[in-house]
């Protein structure tokens, strides 16, 4: 974002920013026409995975009865997800899913936080591919769990045929099919993507807008300060959205797992 601001201040960039700003140039060259092989977005995903692996490995390398600060932080994160998401949504059976939910929550939270970290300032989840892949994993998970517990026929029977009079089943079955197996993964991915995409665009518009007004007219210079103050305020709001979206994504995944395990859907 700051690099774009410097370019704009020198009169070398167009304003307002567009969707093309989300397609960053490749860090590593790969062929003459493929310019998006290894971008900043890909690097951030790898960095996030590396940070999480190293953090939890180092934290639990030598666990102590009286936890260190790092151990306390790791245990607090896991305890929050286990007690407030897995157990609250699924019950005692949710404890066995707590490691996955914790991993999912931490990954989404960390990749979201990149949106407000200097020199990163964009979340990988503002590209639909990453939320879509996370939603696909959750989709496969809750269907696999449901089929494993109930069997293929009973699981889809419970999912598609609600307890209702037979004469309205021709109407309800397509609705259940659409909502359970199409809308769920789609809404899970789009909710995260849309929030992170919109947040990045807002921060980009207000940041670059200040430079645009500053370089356009001397009379607009005081207004540019207002634009930057709005950027700071929106950054705090974006932090709340970042945490909320990580929580919502994990809670919805847990609710889908709970529905798959239930005897009646």
């Amino acid at each position: 974002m700051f690099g774009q601001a410097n370019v704009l201040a020198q009169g070398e960039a167009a304003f307002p920013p567009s969707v093309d700003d989300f397609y960053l140039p490749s860090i590593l060259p790969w062929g003459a026409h493929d310019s998006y092989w290894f971008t900043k977005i890909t690097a951030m995903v790898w960095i996030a995975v590396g940070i999480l692996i190293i953090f939890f490995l180092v934290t639990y390398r030598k666990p102590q009865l009286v936890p260190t600060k790092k151990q306390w932080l790791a245990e607090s994160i896991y305890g929050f997800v286990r007690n407030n998401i897995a157990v609250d949504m699924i019950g005692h059976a949710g404890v066995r899913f707590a490691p996955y939910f914790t991993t999912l929550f931490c990954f989404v939270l960390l990749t979201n936080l990149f949106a407000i970290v200097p020199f990163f300032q964009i979340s990988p989840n503002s590209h639909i591919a990453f939320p879509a892949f996370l939603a696909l994993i959750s989709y496969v998970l809750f269907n696999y769990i449901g089929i494993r517990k109930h069997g293929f026929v009973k699981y889809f029977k419970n999912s598609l045929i609600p307890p209702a009079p037979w004469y309205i089943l021709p109407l309800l079955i397509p609705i259940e099919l659409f909502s359970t197996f199409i809308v769920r993964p789609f809404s899970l991915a789009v909710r995260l993507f849309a929030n992170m995409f919109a947040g990045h665009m807002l921060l980009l518009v207000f940041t670059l807008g200040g430079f645009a007004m500053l370089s356009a007219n001397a009379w607009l210079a005081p207004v540019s300060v207002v634009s930057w103050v709005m950027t700071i305020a929106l950054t705090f709001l974006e932090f709340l959205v970042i945490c909320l979206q990580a929580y919502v994504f994990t809670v919805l995944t847990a609710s889908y797992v709970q529905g798959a395990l239930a005897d009646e859907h």
Side-chain angles (χ1 to χ4, degrees):
M1 189 181 296
F2 289 133
Q4 290 171 310
N6 291 333
V7 172
L8 179 64
Q10 297 170 7
E12 299 176 2
F15 185 83
S18 67
V19 175
D20 291 336
D21 293 310
F22 285 79
Y23 296 94
L24 306 178
S26 178
I27 296 175
L28 298 177
W30 185 263
H33 303 289
D34 188 356
S35 59
Y36 303 113
W37 175 69
F38 188 85
T39 66
K40 179 180 177 181
I41 297 294
T42 310
M44 284 191 287
V45 172
W46 287 18
I47 291 171
V49 172
I51 289 174
L52 292 177
I53 292 175
I54 293 171
F55 172 71
F56 283 103
L57 283 179
V58 170
T59 299
Y60 280 93
R61 183 176 56 181
K62 295 180 179 179
Q64 301 178 16
L65 184 61
V66 178
T68 61
K69 291 181 180 179
K70 294 192 293 293
Q71 183 180 336
W72 173 84
L73 178 60
E75 289 177 351
S76 298
I77 295 172
Y78 177 77
F80 168 76
V81 176
R82 181 193 62 194
N83 298 328
N84 295 282
I85 297 179
V87 175
D88 280 358
M89 296 299 300
I90 303 174
H92 182 70
V95 174
R96 64 190 176 109
F97 301 106
Y100 171 70
F101 293 153
T102 302
T103 304
L104 181 64
F105 175 78
C106 290
F107 179 78
V108 175
L109 179 63
L110 184 55
T111 50
N112 282 353
L113 279 172
F114 283 143
I116 57 174
V117 173
F119 305 109
F120 291 112
Q121 294 173 304
I122 186 172
S123 169
N125 295 318
S126 61
H127 285 242
I128 187 60
F130 292 100
F133 190 74
L134 292 175
L136 178 62
I137 294 174
S138 296
Y139 177 77
V140 172
L141 174 68
F142 79 78
N143 281 303
Y144 170 77
I145 290 169
I147 294 171
R148 183 177 179 181
K149 179 178 180 180
H150 303 290
F152 184 87
V153 175
K154 184 179 179 182
Y155 172 69
F156 281 94
K157 179 182 177 182
N158 290 342
S159 299
L160 299 178
I161 305 178
W166 65 268
Y167 50 84
I168 62 172
L169 289 181
L171 176 63
L172 293 181
I173 289 177
I175 294 176
E176 291 292 332
L177 174 65
F178 183 74
S179 64
T180 302
F181 298 103
I182 298 177
V183 172
R184 279 185 179 181
F186 179 79
S187 63
L188 196 61
V190 170
R191 182 183 293 104
L192 177 60
F193 158 72
N195 277 279
M196 300 315 301
F197 181 94
H200 180 72
M201 286 300 292
L202 282 174
L203 292 176
L204 197 63
V205 166
F206 278 97
T207 301
L208 299 185
F211 284 98
M213 290 183 287
L214 187 64
S215 60
N217 193 317
W219 295 100
L220 292 177
V223 183
S224 65
V225 177
V226 177
S227 180
W228 291 328
V229 170
M230 284 296 300
T231 302
I232 297 173
L234 287 171
T235 299
F236 285 102
L237 178 61
E238 184 69 0
F239 176 75
L240 296 177
V241 173
I242 284 167
C243 297
L244 180 62
Q245 288 305 311
Y247 176 77
V248 168
F249 196 97
T250 310
V251 165
L252 288 177
T253 300
S255 71
Y256 297 155
V257 172
Q258 187 276 331
L261 291 172
D263 291 327
E264 296 293 339
H265 296 254

